[in-house]
Amino acid sequence: DGGITQSPKYLFRKEGQNVTLSCEQNLNHDAMYWYRQDPGQGLRLIYYSQIVNDFQKGDIAEGYSVSREKKESFPLTVTSAQKNPTAFYLCASSKKQAAYGYTFGSGTRLTVV
Amino acid sequence: AQKITQTQPGMFVQEKEAVTLDCTYDTSDQSYGLFWYKQPSSGEMIFLIYQGSYDEQNATEGRYSLNFQKARKSANLVISASQLGDSAMYFCAMRERGTGANSKLTFGKGITLSVRP
């Protein structure tokens, strides 16, 4: 079955370290997205990519970086420059057309220790 | 300006009763899609229902229906016969066609629904 896979489910990071969150999809979707969610809050867009080798900043890109070398993969790196990285991170993918919503991964919960 | 507005505080409903979750939106596009997602405590986002701006009939998916009032720019979710498993956070979202290749979903802040036994 097609889907979108995020790993790991839980991640612990020491202050000052970079960590990379994995997101892979086999839905043949062109677009992929990363969102951050804080407890009891909505989703905030970090980065998105509409095509391989191209990506755009979302609303809260500072302290994060991404790459899109393959259509199936869109990893997110949380750098040491991100001041408050403890959050729940959701990856999503979609077709480009407006009639299509997003398919989400199951999320990664990142905690800074 | 907010494009998707969900202003209800936490909602409570008795099991087996119906509940309406409010959503209003703002767009100048004529072509757009409206979506509702459910997020249980596990964190996954589950797609519930879709309404296209040109659809004349209100969308329905099992116990979920979307009360679409285009002139009022509202897209309320109605859950009939609530079940304990419906307790979750619910997000309304819109995707406009006008921005073409950069068309993205815009989410509301969400509404927490608790179903009482």
Side-chain angles (χ1 to χ4, degrees):
Chain A
D1 285 342
I4 181 166
T5 303
Q6 287 187 246
S7 61
K9 193 171 179 66
Y10 298 96
L11 187 57
F12 296 89
R13 187 195 95 171
K14 292 183 179 179
E15 285 196 30
Q17 283 183 339
N18 292 355
V19 289
T20 298
L21 283 58
S22 170
C23 179
E24 304 273 336
Q25 55 98 1
N26 60 2
L27 298 164
N28 199 33
H29 284 170
D30 292 303
M32 297 187 74
Y33 312 82
W34 274 105
Y35 286 90
R36 169 181 172 140
Q37 188 178 28
D38 292 288
Q41 303 298 312
L43 281 67
R44 292 187 289 169
L45 182 64
I46 305 173
Y47 268 99
Y48 65 100
S49 168
Q50 301 279 345
I51 195 170
V52 174
N53 292 323
D54 188 42
F55 47 84
Q56 286 78 40
K57 293 182 179 180
D59 301 318
I60 56 164
E62 186 175 349
Y64 300 96
S65 66
V66 293
S67 63
R68 186 86 185 277
E69 296 176 3
K70 299 186 300 182
K71 188 175 185 178
E72 301 79 18
S73 179
F74 191 41
L76 173 74
T77 297
V78 185
T79 74
S80 56
Q82 169 50 234
K83 299 277 186 271
N84 184 19
T86 295
F88 185 59
Y89 291 87
L90 279 161
C91 179
S93 69
S94 76
K95 295 184 182 182
K96 286 185 184 176
Q97 294 87 346
Y100 294 93
Y102 293 178
T103 301
F104 283 87
S106 55
T108 293
R109 202 166 295 277
L110 173 64
T111 304
V112 173
V113 297
Chain B
Q2 268 187 315
K3 289 202 167 187
I4 297 286
T5 303
Q6 295 180 264
T7 57
Q8 290 166 305
M11 293 283 289
F12 293 87
V13 65
Q14 204 67 31
E15 195 178 6
K16 299 180 185 176
E17 292 185 351
V19 63
T20 298
L21 306 182
D22 294 342
C23 173
T24 59
Y25 61 92
D26 184 28
T27 181
S28 55
D29 268 4
Q30 296 302 308
S31 179
Y32 51 89
L34 296 158
F35 303 81
W36 277 90
Y37 286 85
K38 171 185 177 181
Q39 187 180 42
S41 57
S42 58
E44 61 191 305
M45 293 282 283
I46 302 166
F47 165 74
L48 295 178
I49 196 165
Y50 163 78
Q51 178 86 40
S53 58
Y54 291 117
D55 294 342
E56 294 185 356
Q57 304 261 356
N58 284 343
T60 60
E61 290 284 349
R63 293 186 300 111
Y64 304 107
S65 60
L66 200 152
N67 184 359
F68 180 47
Q69 298 187 43
K70 193 170 181 177
R72 296 181 59 190
K73 293 187 177 176
S74 76
N76 299 340
L77 177 70
V78 180
I79 304 174
S80 63
S82 297
Q83 300 173 356
L84 296 178
D86 294 334
S87 294
M89 198 152 182
Y90 289 81
F91 290 95
C92 179
M94 176 176 65
R95 192 170 188 184
E96 297 161 290
R97 196 187 74 169
T99 46
N102 287 327
S103 168
K104 301 187 299 298
L105 270 181
T106 302
F107 289 88
K109 293 186 183 302
I111 302 169
T112 300
L113 175 67
S114 300
V115 180
R116 292 174 168 148

